[in-house]
């Protein structure tokens, strides 16, 4: 059973469950993905020359942030060999809705079609989707963000927080969820989001993030960026059992050969 999406007269997708829109109209939605999230985490510059880059997102929704990130990775000659995008989603939408939205962004449509071909059977649990010949991994944690993040060990280089508005979707922004997010951060991990709610800023600071308001992307006046810089020593991050921490030899060596 996939999540019900209502399409508004202006073409924006709306969630009856949360009483909120997934995105603003197309141009704003794209600008938000590109500027609030991708640029808000210093990408693509931050990943240049790195062997891999790991992004954690709360709230996969239509995957617009994912598609924009994948597209930026695809276009970047200095891209990491492996892009691992991990995203939580409690209520996956149908592939047909995902494609309906992606048709508004012709440059993203081929990527959305590749994604949609694997977008099925998303029962609660972890789903690993191999895209771009295995160079882009999408780990979908289907379930509640806080619960799923507590159950899995992962380290993120960038974090996108993208729930519905805190008033309508308080679980996604609760201190407990943010603590579960923070345990995935390494020192220096950058985080970006579109809401500057005072409680969120206080809670992120309590979790070890240095938080700053930055000029927003219309219709928002301000957005939020943060870096993980706790005053305490975070516990040493374990290896990522979801697979991407140890790079496959063919991705690690810039095209070299390995005898097995
Ligand atoms: C604003 S939409 C995300 C848009 C998305 N990032 C994109 O690029 O298309 C918020 C998403 O959070 C999901 N969500 C809400 N509460 C959740 C929870 N407790 N755990 C996991 N996902 C949740 C919703 O189902 C919805 O898909």
């Amino acid at each position: 059973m996939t999540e019900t999406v209502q399409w508004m007269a202006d073409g924006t997708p709306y969630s009856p469950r949360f009483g909120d829109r997934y995105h603003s109209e197309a141009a704003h939605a794209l600008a938000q993905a590109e500027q609030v999230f991708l640029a808000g985490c210093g990408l693509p510059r931050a990943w240049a020359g790195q062997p891999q880059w790991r992004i954690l997102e709360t709230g996969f929704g239509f995957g617009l942030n994912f598609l924009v990130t994948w597209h930026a990775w695809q276009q970047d000659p200095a891209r990491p060999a492996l892009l691992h995008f991990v995203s939580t989603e409690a209520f996956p939408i149908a592939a047909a809705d995902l494609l309906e939205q992606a048709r508004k962004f012709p440059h993203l449509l081929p990527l959305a079609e590749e994604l949609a071909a694997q977008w099925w059977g998303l029962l609660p649990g972890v789903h690993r989707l191999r895209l771009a010949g295995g160079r882009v991994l999408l780990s979908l944690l289907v379930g509640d963000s806080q619960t799923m993040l507590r159950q899995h060990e992962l380290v993120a280089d960038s974090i996108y927080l993208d729930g519905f508005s805190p008033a309508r979707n308080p679980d996604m922004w609760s201190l407990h969820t943010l603590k579960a997010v923070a345990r995935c951060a390494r020192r220096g991990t950058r985080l970006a989001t579109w809401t500057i709610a005072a409680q969120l800023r206080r809670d992120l600071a309590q979790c070890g993030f240095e938080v700053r308001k930055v000029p927003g992307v219309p219709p928002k006046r301000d957005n939020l960026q943060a870096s993980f810089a706790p005053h305490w020593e975070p516990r040493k991050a374990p290896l990522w059992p979801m697979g991407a921490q140890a790079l496959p030899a063919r991705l690690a060596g810039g095209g070299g050969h390995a005898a097995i």
Side-chain angles (χ1 to χ4, degrees), residues 165-211:
S165 72
R168 299 191 181 268
N169 193 189
D171 292 355
M172 281 287 258
W173 307 96
S174 75
L175 178 59
H176 290 302
T177 298
L178 297 174
K179 282 185 175 169
V181 167
R183 75 185 259 287
C184 303
R186 58 159 171 82
R187 201 168 277 284
T189 292
R190 282 180 64 171
L191 174 152
T193 189
W194 53 270
T195 171
I196 56 156
Q199 186 64 48
L200 173 66
R201 284 183 279 152
R202 281 194 293 275
D203 289 349
L204 283 173
Q206 185 180 329
C207 291
F209 287 92
E210 278 177 1
V211 182

Side-chain angles (χ1 to χ4, degrees), residues 54-70:
R54 304 154 299 188
I55 298 176
L56 169 64
E57 176 186 57
T58 54
F60 188 79
F62 284 72
L64 185 57
N65 292 338
F66 169 63
L67 295 172
V68 161
T69 303
W70 178 6

Side-chain angles (χ1 to χ4, degrees), residues 71-182:
H71 186 259
W73 173 90
Q74 192 184 52
Q75 300 299 306
D76 185 0
R79 64 181 166 267
L82 181 69
L83 175 65
H84 190 172
F85 197 99
V86 181
S87 190
T88 63
E89 179 52 63
F91 309 106
I93 61 166
D97 285 320
L98 193 146
L99 286 171
E100 176 78 25
Q101 178 74 331
R103 279 190 200 100
K104 298 169 187 161
F105 313 107
H107 65 298
L108 301 178
L109 189 54
L111 306 185
E113 285 169 344
E114 191 177 337
L115 172 60
Q118 294 189 40
W119 190 268
W120 54 272
L122 295 176
L123 294 170
V126 179
H127 299 261
R128 167 69 63 80
L129 278 54
R130 289 179 80 254
L131 301 156
R135 294 178 159 252
V136 174
L137 298 179
L138 172 60
S139 294
L140 276 172
L141 309 186
V142 177
D144 170 62
S145 294
Q146 186 193 142
T147 311
M148 296 306 284
L149 291 176
R150 280 187 171 171
Q151 285 172 2
H152 295 93
E153 298 291 349
L154 57 98
V155 181
D157 302 302
S158 310
I159 297 174
Y160 302 167
L161 297 184
D162 198 13
F164 290 116
S165 72
R168 299 191 181 268
N169 193 189
D171 292 355
M172 281 287 258
W173 307 96
S174 75
L175 178 59
H176 290 302
T177 298
L178 297 174
K179 282 185 175 169
V181 167

Side-chain angles (χ1 to χ4, degrees), residues 3-8 11-23 62 164 168:
E3 182 68 348
T4 300
V5 172
Q6 278 176 9
W7 291 92
M8 310 298 277
T12 57
Y14 174 86
S15 163
R17 182 191 298 274
F18 289 98
D20 201 356
R21 289 188 302 174
Y22 285 84
H23 299 135
F62 284 72
F164 290 116
R168 299 191 181 268

